């Protein structure tokens, strides 16, 4: 029997009833950086996904670069997350936390008091501005401070503690955000990593932060509960192309495979207008990594189905389709029409444009009510 988006799958011991993953999406509803009832309602509505991956969650006060993103480093945050995992599990779903440290992609006015904008090296974003609640506007981001080697070690410890907090809060696992120009990719990339200590220089040294974070998190919570998101050839957050991209990602995929983690989540945002990711790169990552491969970026029911059917991926993550359609798997099963996303409401602090996308009449998942 051929594999479809509706076929069940075993993800390192976790049975997922379909191949449709909800992609991680920052939504900025975590007032005070603490998860709340509104967020629990949003995720509960989407529990029909084979697997939900949360929005990016910071392991540290220093990683809260954007306004109103949640953290996973305080007891209050862990209690908030428990509401989310309980709601999703009660509705029959499964949920991983995406751990995202923003690094240099940060405005100090978004950070809590005492937190600092830390990155591998002093390399500022030059063309990107960031929304700052305190100023009610977008502002340029100042240059980050380069981490000392003690701060690198401390930051790895923060990733480990956040992963343990996530498991305490009831998550089924964690995804490390190694994509889209945030801290882990800032270490991988020669433009943002200009260090001459053990964490910088050669391809191997630039990968050491990513692999050490993954190894330590896997030791703490079990490799079967860890995924890693990567975006080879991605340019988001001013990450220009460099010579050794394919060599870097092949080595990374091999290193992650050796660690035995559950999955790699491979992005190709070219359907959204980003530069092409060569098929050969995607094939090389697939071949080098022994675990599950999730693919994401611009998929719909037909293209997602073709990808899993061909074996190029095991699971497909959908971002905007899940954002706008709480009952996406039911809609894909029946060919029902889709709600359109409302991008002007992606990052506000309200229920509007968040929990009010309607489910199908009589649908099992997602009640469309806040
Ligand atoms: C509103 C919004 C927020 C996003 N936030 C994150 C995030 O926190 N972490 C992440 O890895 N990707 C993030 N992404 C990227 C998505 O996970 C996904 O890769 C992208 O939307 C492409 O998939 P799609 O074409 O199915 O929407 C975000 C995308 C959107 C639309």
């Amino acid at each position: 029997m051929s594999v479809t988006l509706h076929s069940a799958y075993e993800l390192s011991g976790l049975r997922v009833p379909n191949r449709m993953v909800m992609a991680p999406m920052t939504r900025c509803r975590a007032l005070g950086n603490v998860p709340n009832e509104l967020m629990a309602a949003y995720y509960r509505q989407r529990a029909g996904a084979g697997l939900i991956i949360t929005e990016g969650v910071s392991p540290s006060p220093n990683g809260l670069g954007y306004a109103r993103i949640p953290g996973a480093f305080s007891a209050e945050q862990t209690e908030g997350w428990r509401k989310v995992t309980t709601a999703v599990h009660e509705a029959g779903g499964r949920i991983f936390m995406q751990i995202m440290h923003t690094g240099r992609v940060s405005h100090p006015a978004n950070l809590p008091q005492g937190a600092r904008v830390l990155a591998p090296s002093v390399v500022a974003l030059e063309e990107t501005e960031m929304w700052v609640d305190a100023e009610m506007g977008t502002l340029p981001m100042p240059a980050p401070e380069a981490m000392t080697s003690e701060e690198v070690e401390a930051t790895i410890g923060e990733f480990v503690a956040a992963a343990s907090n996530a498991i305490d809060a009831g998550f089924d696992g964690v995804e490390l955000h190694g994509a889209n120009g945030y801290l882990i990719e800032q270490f991988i990339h020669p433009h943002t990593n200009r260090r001459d200590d053990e964490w910088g220089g050669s391809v191997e040294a630039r990968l050491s932060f990513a692999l050490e974070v993954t190894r330590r998190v896997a030791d703490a919570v079990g490799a079967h509960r860890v995924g890693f998101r990567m975006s080879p050839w991605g340019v988001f957050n001013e990450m220009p192309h460099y010579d050794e991209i394919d060599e870097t990602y092949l080595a990374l995929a091999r290193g992650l495979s050796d660690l035995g983690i559950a999955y790699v989540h491979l992005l190709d945002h070219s359907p959204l207008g980003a530069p092409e990711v060569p098929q050969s790169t995607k094939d090389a990552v697939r071949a080098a990594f022994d675990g599950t491969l999730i693919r994401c970026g611009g998929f719909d029911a037909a293209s997602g189905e073709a990808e899993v059917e061909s074996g190029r991926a095991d699971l497909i993550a959908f971002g905007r389709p899940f954002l706008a359609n709480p009952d996406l798997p039911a809609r894909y099963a029946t060919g029902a029409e889709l709600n359109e996303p409302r991008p002007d409401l992606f990052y506000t602090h309200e229920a509007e444009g968040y929990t009010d996308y309607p489910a199908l009449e009589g649908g099992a998942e997602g009640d469309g009510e806040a």
Side-chain angles (χ1 to χ4, degrees):
M1 218 179 71
S2 68
V3 172
T4 76
L5 283 177
H6 305 280
S7 312
Y9 183 76
E10 195 176 305
L11 177 64
S12 294
L14 181 69
R15 188 180 179 280
V16 300
N18 63 60
R19 308 287 181 116
M20 292 165 273
V21 173
M22 178 176 164
M25 285 177 287
T26 290
R27 303 303 310 277
C28 302
R29 264 66 175 188
L31 305 182
N33 310 115
V34 177
N36 52 43
E37 297 285 356
L38 180 65
M39 291 164 62
Y42 165 77
Y43 286 113
R44 181 197 299 120
Q45 290 174 345
R46 288 157 180 78
L51 175 68
I52 293 172
I53 303 169
T54 67
E55 62 208 286
V57 181
S58 179
S60 164
N62 301 331
L64 291 167
Y66 292 107
R68 288 168 272 110
I69 65 170
F73 50 85
S74 75
E76 195 187 3
Q77 288 160 345
T78 300
E79 287 321 302
W81 283 120
R82 202 181 307 283
K83 292 179 192 156
V84 173
T85 61
T86 302
V88 169
H89 289 147
E90 279 176 3
R94 295 135 300 276
I95 183 165
F96 272 41
M97 173 192 283
Q98 185 186 57
I99 305 182
M100 170 179 88
H101 190 307
T102 49
R104 72 173 190 147
V105 184
S106 178
H107 196 283
N110 284 336
L111 298 182
Q113 232 178 5
R116 291 154 62 210
V117 181
L118 296 180
S121 303
V122 184
V123 184
L125 288 128
E126 285 170 1
E127 287 152 19
T128 315
E129 297 204 328
M130 178 175 277
W131 174 264
V132 179
D133 273 352
E135 303 291 336
M136 292 295 286
T138 53
L139 295 178
M141 285 172 261
E145 295 174 66
M147 289 184 188
T148 63
S149 36
E150 290 75 26
E151 285 162 348
V152 176
E153 291 293 344
T155 304
I156 294 170
E158 290 173 332
F159 274 89
V160 175
S164 298
N165 290 341
I167 299 303
D168 279 355
F171 280 93
D172 298 293
V174 296
E175 172 175 290
L176 299 169
H177 195 352
N180 297 349
Y182 298 104
L183 183 69
I184 292 178
E185 196 191 352
Q186 290 162 33
F187 271 93
I188 294 172
H189 202 299
H191 173 67
T192 41
N193 183 345
R194 312 215 178 153
R195 302 178 71 94
D196 55 13
D197 64 1
E198 69 201 278
W199 304 106
S202 63
V203 169
E204 196 191 353
R206 283 188 272 107
L207 286 174
S208 57
F209 183 80
L211 290 171
E212 184 64 6
V213 167
T214 309
R215 187 181 69 77
R216 298 260 302 271
V217 166
D219 281 352
V221 304
H224 63 292
R225 291 202 277 214
V226 179
F228 189 99
R229 196 171 219 222
M230 61 170 72
S231 53
W233 297 91
V235 293
F236 186 60
N237 282 322
E238 299 181 25
M239 302 300 258
H241 286 163
Y242 53 103
D243 286 342
E244 315 94 358
I245 298 177
D246 281 332
E247 180 190 341
T248 300
Y249 282 89
L250 185 58
L252 177 58
R254 285 194 181 124
L256 295 171
S257 198
D258 290 345
L259 293 172
I261 62 167
Y263 71 81
V264 160
H265 188 171
L266 179 60
L267 284 185
D268 175 355
H269 279 174
S270 57
L272 290 69
E276 201 68 37
V277 181
Q279 187 61 45
S280 55
T281 306
K282 294 184 268 192
D283 291 345
V285 169
R286 174 67 158 158
F289 181 73
D290 280 340
T292 295
L293 187 75
I294 306 178
R295 286 268 294 103
C296 181
F299 284 101
D300 61 16
S303 59
E305 184 99 1
E307 195 78 358
V308 294
E309 200 176 8
S310 70
R312 286 191 296 271
D314 301 301
L315 305 173
I316 303 295
F318 300 92
R320 293 157 300 163
F322 254 119
L323 185 157
N325 297 276
D327 54 352
L328 187 70
R331 288 179 194 244
Y332 280 169
T334 59
E337 252 186 71
L338 299 182
N339 302 319
E340 284 301 316
R342 287 174 279 166
D344 51 319
L345 300 175
F346 279 179
Y347 305 114
T348 67
H349 54 271
E350 289 156 354
E352 190 189 0
Y354 188 55
T355 47
D356 60 353
Y357 287 101
L360 293 170
E361 289 286 322
E365 299 116 3
D367 54 12
E369 299 294 324

